[in-house]
Amino acid sequence: MHVVLVHGAGGSPSTWSSVAPLLRGRGFGVTLADNPMTSLRDDEASVRALVDGIDGPVLLVGHSYGGAVITNAGTHERVVGLVYVAAFAPDEGESVTGIVSAREPALVSQYSDRGPDGEWITRDDDEARRALAWDVPEDVLLASRTEERRPTADAAFQQPTGEPAWRTRPTWYVLATRDAHLLPEIQRDFVARMGATVDEVDTSHAVAHAAPDRVVAVIERAAAALR
């Protein structure tokens, strides 16, 4: 079983820097997506291209907006299962913007800015980190600050989802109960609609850094079930 890890908006492969080594240590093949964040269609195509280059079955794992990406790319014939980590799981015709605009704003909205072309940029200062990712180890926070933060084009959030892969693939969900980005009640709605196997963790949105062992455990259970 090969695992493809897909980051969210404003993220990068470093989203998985606490998870990927653990998976490799357990014998998994691991590929890290590095999506352009220019549109949902572009990011979907980027992940599909990664899956094209992998022999054998693939388990897609998406964090945050990366869940919308795997929902679309997961219809690839080699994808056998999906793991959502505090992630969007839109239905056909839904967009990320449509999902969040139907609820009260999450705390992250207070720390988000718009670029000159309408792109979304989440602040990366100490105040934002204390509010949004208080449970991430300090050394991980410091390491991430050395990376360039990539803005996310508005098209990534506005484009509608096609046929959702979760309708035809077994699905697991890691639900962050103290998430200030994607409200926990929205996550629970996704779980109920998909009929996903759920594992609730008492963390911020940065689950993969705050509780990497829990994320790996869900991936291992998914892989075992799919075998």
Side-chain angles (χ1 to χ4, degrees):
M1 182 72 62
H2 196 99
V3 179
V4 176
L5 301 171
V6 182
H7 62 79
S12 72
S14 70
T15 294
W16 306 105
S17 62
S18 300
V19 167
L22 297 178
L23 288 174
R24 292 186 175 114
R26 288 161 169 76
F28 286 97
V30 176
T31 296
L32 301 171
D34 191 6
N35 289 331
M37 313 304 294
T38 48
S39 72
L40 178 58
R41 298 283 87 80
D42 290 345
D43 295 336
E44 174 191 353
S46 178
V47 171
R48 283 184 177 276
L50 292 178
V51 178
D52 281 337
I54 297 169
D55 291 329
V58 172
L59 178 64
L60 288 184
V61 181
H63 173 247
S64 194
Y65 158 75
V69 178
I70 69 170
T71 295
N72 286 270
T75 56
H76 192 293
E77 61 183 6
R78 291 199 191 114
V79 175
V80 295
L82 308 166
V83 176
Y84 292 83
V85 180
F88 286 88
D91 202 348
E92 186 167 7
E94 288 184 338
S95 68
V96 168
T97 295
I99 290 169
V100 298
S101 63
R103 300 292 188 108
E104 63 180 88
L107 183 62
V108 67
S109 63
Q110 299 178 27
Y111 299 95
S112 297
D113 300 315
R114 302 298 295 272
D117 297 317
E119 65 271 29
W120 291 91
I121 306 168
T122 301
R123 281 171 43 192
D124 190 34
D125 55 36
D126 288 337
E127 180 186 353
R129 287 177 175 274
R130 284 194 299 270
L132 302 173
W134 68 90
D135 51 356
V136 176
E138 185 66 24
D139 60 328
V140 176
L141 290 177
L142 291 174
S144 68
R145 280 189 166 171
T146 65
E147 294 189 344
E148 179 181 357
R149 294 183 65 80
R150 183 181 303 166
T152 303
D154 197 41
F157 300 142
Q158 296 285 357
Q159 286 182 337
T161 286
E163 176 191 358
W166 51 259
R167 288 201 180 279
T168 54
R169 306 309 194 266
T171 303
W172 289 259
Y173 201 104
V174 183
L175 194 157
T177 61
R178 300 173 70 193
D179 199 329
H181 288 70
L182 178 56
L183 298 175
E185 54 264 38
I186 298 179
Q187 296 181 50
R188 290 193 174 94
D189 286 347
F190 293 148
V191 168
R193 180 166 66 181
M194 294 189 294
T197 301
V198 63
D199 185 21
E200 295 197 5
V201 294
D202 187 28
T203 71
S204 70
H205 190 60
V207 192
H209 288 315
D213 289 337
R214 297 286 294 277
V215 175
V216 169
V218 171
I219 293 171
E220 286 187 306
R221 289 198 295 272
L226 292 167
R227 290 191 187 103

